[in-house]
């Protein structure tokens, strides 16, 4: 994909710096105003998109949800290339369906805000004619927006009716997490790093940063910030069709061929024949450029680690099938060899006697997701228990785990789903 065409691209930037009446725990967010103004400057001053000012609508302190929905609808109708919708403010879980509501200045109760599902209707067939759609939400519980199914109930139908190349939802926090606006800082934690990546680029990234690349760079920067500010949440990325490949910016830090954080030219193993275009090479490159996932081992050579060798035996690879990566959720080396393997041909799962194989050619019919349930631990704390879920013609659910690795693995599998689909389109 190419950079958006400024003349045919529209952006709607929405910010609510106010708290909520009768809800004293929802204080003012002064950084929300700065977020919108700084992002507007980036999109219109030639740094990122060079949008004409009239193509970048800003709504600071919108007085009603109707005003916001009308602005998004008008932008969607006139955007023939890319539509960007950005919101910063308080996010609330409210309503009978416990869905995401975006706060507005004059609301008095949580369910008087703008229901995201209603806003997402302006992005569906009949109102959206552009090729690419990006929604960025910097608010608490932002990933609840994925329940709104921005692409409609059928991604393929959405793509057919709108001729869309992709749709992406980038959020500051998971469904159960709060976003962070550090006191005394100009911007919120998430948008601060997003602005930095758009301005400065990513030394580990390619010449052009797509949505997937921006997400990876922002995630790494937030990982570093989390060492100083433990409450910084992990961002989330949801994509439809080829949404992960939507180009957002030219990489200002591009220095030739990208290198991963774990590699140097001297330490990099010799490239396998045809790796740059093979499925194994695409999957390996995708995993290496993402933030690390606990207990995910990306294979560097055939004898890399004993753990990897053991997993290869547990999955009984076919002749000529190459092991690319292994994610382990059981204890090593004494526990059972329960693990998920990504190979040159597909995904393999060995789980307490269950063996599942999903070839990459069938990835398009699968949904990769995760969920959590808050349980009281033995120490009296509420801890999340996560599990990974695969739905579709192949179905499988992991056992509950005590960390967010299943959530991160679901993200990686969705990324791989996108690049494999793109590779098949190109005949790789």
């Amino acid at each position: 994909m190419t950079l958006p065409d400024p003349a045919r691209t529209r952006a709607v930037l929405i910010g609510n710096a106010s708290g909520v009446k009768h809800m004293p725990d929802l204080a003012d967010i002064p950084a929300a105003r700065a977020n919108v103004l700084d992002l507007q400057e980036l999109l219109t001053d030639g740094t990122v998109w060079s949008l004409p000012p009239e193509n970048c609508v800003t709504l600071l302190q919108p007085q009603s949800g109707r005003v916001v929905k009308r602005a998004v609808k008008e932008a969607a109708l006139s955007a023939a290339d890319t539509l960007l919708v950005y919101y910063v403010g308080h996010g609330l879980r409210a309503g009978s369906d416990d869905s995401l509501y975006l706060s507005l200045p004059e609301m008095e109760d949580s369910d008087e805000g703008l229901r995201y599902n209603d806003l997402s209707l302006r992005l569906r067939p009949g109102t959206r004619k552009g090729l690419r759609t990006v929604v960025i939400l910097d608010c608490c519980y932002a990933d609840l927006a994925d329940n709104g199914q921005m692409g409609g109930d059928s991604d393929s139908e959405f793509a057919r009716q709108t001729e869309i190349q992709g749709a992406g939802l980038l959020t500051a926090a998971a469904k159960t997490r709060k976003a962070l606006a550090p006191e005394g800082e100009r911007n919120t934690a998430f948008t601060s790093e997003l602005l930095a990546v758009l301005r400065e680029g990513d030394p580990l990234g390619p010449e052009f940063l797509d949505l997937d690349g921006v997400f990876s760079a922002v995630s790494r920067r937030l990982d570093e910030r989390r060492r100083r500010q433990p409450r910084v949440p992990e961002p989330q990325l949801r994509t439809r069709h080829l949404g992960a490949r939507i180009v957002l910016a030219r990489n200002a830090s591009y220095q030739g061929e990208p290198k991963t954080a774990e590699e140097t030219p001297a330490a990099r193993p010799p490239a396998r024949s045809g790796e740059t275009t093979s499925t194994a090479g695409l999957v390996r490159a995708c995993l290496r450029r993402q933030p690390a996932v606990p207990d995910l081992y990306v294979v560097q050579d055939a004898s890399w680690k004993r753990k990897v060798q053991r997993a290869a035996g547990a999955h009984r690879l076919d002749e000529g099938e190459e092991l690319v990566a292994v994610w382990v959720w059981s204890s090593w080396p004494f526990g059972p060899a329960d693990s998920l393997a990504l190979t040159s041909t597909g995904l393999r799962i060995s789980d307490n006697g269950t063996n599942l194989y999903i070839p990459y050619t069938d990835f398009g019919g699968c949904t990769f997701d995760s969920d959590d349930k808050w349980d009281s631990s033995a120490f009296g704390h509420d801890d999340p228990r996560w599990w990974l879920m695969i739905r579709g013609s192949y179905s499988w659910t992991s056992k509950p785990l005590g960390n967010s690795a299943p959530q991160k693995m679901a993200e990686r599998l969705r990324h791989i789903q996108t690049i494999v689909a793109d590779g098949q389109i190109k005949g790789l």
Side-chain angles (χ1 to χ4, degrees):
M1 291 186 181
T2 60
L3 282 168
D5 178 357
R8 302 166 66 237
T9 292
R10 301 292 186 272
V12 181
L13 313 180
I14 309 151
N16 177 26
S18 299
V20 177
K21 293 180 181 179
H22 307 302
M23 300 180 72
D25 55 323
L26 299 180
D28 291 350
I29 311 174
R33 177 180 176 83
N35 282 9
V36 170
L37 296 179
D38 291 350
L39 186 56
Q40 178 194 33
E41 182 180 5
L42 277 183
L43 296 178
T44 58
D45 69 357
T47 303
V48 180
W49 280 359
S50 302
L51 290 183
E54 62 272 17
N55 288 4
C56 185
V57 175
T58 59
L59 297 175
L60 283 168
Q61 305 303 101
Q63 295 306 303
S64 69
R66 184 170 59 254
V67 171
V68 176
K69 289 185 283 189
R70 183 186 302 121
V72 170
K73 182 176 180 178
E74 291 175 354
L77 287 171
S78 57
D81 186 312
T82 301
L83 172 67
L84 170 66
V85 177
Y86 170 90
Y87 172 84
V88 57
H90 285 294
L92 305 166
R93 302 180 70 151
S96 59
D97 57 351
D98 199 31
S99 60
L100 177 66
Y101 280 71
L102 309 179
S103 67
L104 297 171
E106 298 303 318
M107 59 185 285
E108 296 188 4
D109 293 297
S110 57
D111 60 356
E112 292 179 2
L114 173 59
R115 186 171 179 261
Y116 178 80
N117 290 9
D118 296 336
L119 183 64
S120 70
L121 292 174
R122 276 66 187 172
L123 309 176
R124 294 188 177 186
T127 59
R128 180 76 180 99
K129 70 175 183 178
L131 297 176
R132 298 174 280 198
T133 303
V134 177
V135 177
I136 302 176
L137 301 178
D138 189 351
C139 61
C140 299
Y141 318 122
D143 201 46
L144 279 173
D146 189 56
N147 294 345
Q149 298 179 343
M150 61 185 293
D153 293 333
S154 170
D155 294 341
S156 59
E157 182 67 10
F158 181 53
R160 184 187 68 79
Q161 294 192 37
T162 61
E163 297 181 353
I164 199 164
Q165 284 183 293
L169 172 66
L170 178 60
T171 63
K175 299 176 182 180
T176 59
R177 295 292 190 270
K178 293 184 177 182
L180 180 65
E183 186 176 356
E185 295 190 17
R186 175 175 175 82
N187 302 109
T188 60
F190 168 77
T191 296
S192 175
E193 304 306 339
L194 173 65
L195 292 169
V197 170
L198 295 177
R199 285 193 192 105
E200 305 165 14
D202 176 17
L204 304 179
E207 184 177 2
F208 294 93
L209 293 175
D210 57 18
L211 188 55
D212 191 32
V214 168
F215 167 73
S216 298
V218 170
S219 295
R220 289 198 304 272
R221 294 178 71 100
L222 288 172
D223 284 343
E224 290 296 319
R225 180 187 279 251
R226 201 170 292 113
R227 297 177 182 177
R228 310 185 308 272
Q229 300 170 330
R231 292 174 53 233
V232 172
E234 295 182 2
Q236 311 293 312
L237 176 63
R238 308 282 183 172
T239 60
R240 304 282 191 266
H241 203 41
L242 298 180
R245 304 297 294 274
I246 298 174
V247 174
L248 293 187
R250 187 182 294 274
N251 188 355
S253 296
Y254 178 65
Q255 300 175 352
E257 287 300 311
K259 301 177 178 61
T260 69
E262 298 175 352
E263 294 179 321
T264 64
R268 180 177 301 188
R272 296 170 177 83
S273 176
E275 175 169 313
T276 57
T277 58
S278 69
T279 301
L282 290 172
V283 173
R284 184 177 290 107
C286 174
L287 294 175
R288 283 178 173 173
R289 72 170 182 258
Q290 304 294 328
V293 174
D295 299 317
L296 174 64
Y297 304 91
V298 181
V299 179
Q300 295 178 1
D301 56 59
S303 60
W304 182 47
K305 284 188 176 182
R306 185 176 301 173
K307 298 177 182 179
V308 172
Q309 291 178 329
R310 184 182 179 194
H315 290 287
R316 297 188 294 274
L317 304 185
D318 294 335
E319 184 176 357
E321 186 178 5
E322 177 186 347
L323 189 66
V324 175
V326 179
W327 176 53
V328 182
W329 57 83
S330 62
S331 59
W332 290 82
F334 306 109
D338 294 346
S339 59
L340 178 153
L342 291 161
T343 76
S344 54
T345 64
L347 178 152
R348 292 183 178 274
I349 292 172
S350 176
D351 179 16
N352 195 28
T354 298
N355 290 285
L356 178 67
Y357 173 62
I358 307 176
Y360 291 128
T361 52
D362 293 345
F363 258 42
C366 294
T367 298
F368 303 103
D369 208 346
S370 64
D371 208 341
D372 66 357
K373 181 178 181 181
W374 291 83
D375 294 326
S376 296
S377 70
F379 301 99
H381 303 295
D382 285 337
D383 295 325
R385 303 290 290 177
W386 294 86
W387 58 90
L388 174 67
M389 296 176 291
I390 301 175
R391 301 188 184 97
S393 53
Y394 301 84
S395 295
W396 173 81
T397 300
S398 73
K399 57 177 67 69
L401 301 169
N403 57 55
S404 61
Q407 183 185 26
K408 293 182 178 180
M409 275 305 302
E411 294 170 2
R412 302 303 176 269
L413 292 173
R414 289 194 295 269
H415 294 160
I416 292 169
Q417 186 177 49
T418 299
I419 66 165
V420 168
D422 193 33
Q424 291 169 351
I425 290 171
K426 294 179 179 179
L428 299 181

